[in-house]
Amino acid sequence: MDADGTTGPRAGTAADAAVLPAVARPDEITGIGRDAAHVILAELGLDMGIFPTPAQLVSWAKLCPRTIQSGAKTRAGTTGRGNPYLKGILGEAAAAAATADTFLGERYRRLVKRRGKLKALVAVARSILVIIWYLLSDPTARYHDLGPDYSTSRLDKDRKARNHIRQLEALGFTVALTPAA
C-alpha cells in the first residue's frame, strides 16, 4: 500500500511508500538478490500465518540444529532434508553474505573459528531465514543491518574478566590483577 492508500500490483513502488513489495523486502538483506528473493517467496509463500514463530519456519525448512542423545552421551546431528530449493538458495545467500562486511558476514567469521565452514554457513542461512520471517510477517518492517561490530560492542569486558577470575579461583589458583603496560 502506498502513502496515499493505493493498492494493487504497482503498490509500494513509489519513493514514499509505507510498504515495500514482498519481493523487495528480502532483497534488502545482504546476500539475497532479486532472483533469490523470487525463489524464496515461491517456496515460502506470502502468508507467514502458517508459521506462528520464526522457530517453526526454521524447523519446517530443516535449518535448526539437531541433538542426538543416548543416555548421558549427546552429539550433534544433521539438520535433515527439508525443502532442497529453499535450502539451496539460502546456502548461496549465506555464502554471499559471509564475504560481506556486515553483521551476517561477521557472524559467519565468528562461527567458522569454532564450528567449521559448513556449520557456520547453515547458521547464517538460519539467521537469514529468521530475518525473512520477520520481514514477511510484518509488511511495514524494513531490514536494517546491525553492522560488523555489533557483537563486540555488546561485550562487557569487566564481566568476562570476573567470570574468568571466578573460574580460576574455583580451580584453586590465586589471581592478582595488575594493569597492562
Side-chain angles (χ1 to χ4, degrees):
M1 181 170 16
D2 281 338
D4 61 356
T6 60
T7 59
R10 303 291 304 159
T13 56
D16 60 342
V19 177
L20 284 177
V23 174
R25 284 182 252 156
D27 188 25
E28 293 180 326
I29 302 170
T30 306
I32 296 182
R34 198 136 183 94
D35 293 338
H38 281 287
V39 172
I40 290 169
L41 289 178
E43 296 301 323
L44 293 179
L46 293 175
D47 182 22
M48 287 294 111
I50 57 175
F51 304 111
T53 64
Q56 289 178 335
L57 173 61
V58 168
S59 179
W60 174 81
K62 299 287 193 256
L63 283 173
C64 54
R66 192 172 135 200
T67 304
I68 298 172
Q69 182 179 1
S70 177
K73 291 190 179 195
T74 303
R75 64 182 174 91
T78 60
T79 56
R81 296 191 62 181
N83 185 328
Y85 305 108
L86 181 62
K87 285 180 83 168
I89 203 72
L90 287 174
E92 289 179 18
T99 62
D101 191 28
T102 60
F103 170 75
L104 292 171
E106 184 60 30
R107 178 172 170 78
Y108 171 79
R109 289 185 284 282
R110 277 186 298 112
L111 290 173
V112 78
K113 292 176 189 174
R114 63 180 194 269
R115 303 296 293 172
K117 291 180 182 179
L118 293 178
K119 288 183 181 180
L121 280 176
V122 171
V124 172
R126 180 196 176 281
S127 298
I128 289 172
L129 191 57
V130 169
I131 293 168
I132 289 171
W133 183 88
Y134 280 106
L135 291 176
L136 293 179
S137 63
D138 181 12
T140 61
R142 299 290 299 266
Y143 176 69
H144 173 72
D145 187 49
L146 298 174
D149 61 340
Y150 179 76
S151 297
T152 56
S153 67
R154 296 179 54 89
L155 182 68
D156 186 4
K157 292 181 181 180
D158 293 332
R159 181 178 178 183
K160 195 166 190 171
R162 280 194 312 269
N163 286 341
H164 285 303
I165 290 168
R166 198 172 296 128
Q167 287 175 349
L168 286 170
E169 288 174 346
L171 292 172
F173 291 95
T174 304
V175 179
L177 295 178
T178 57

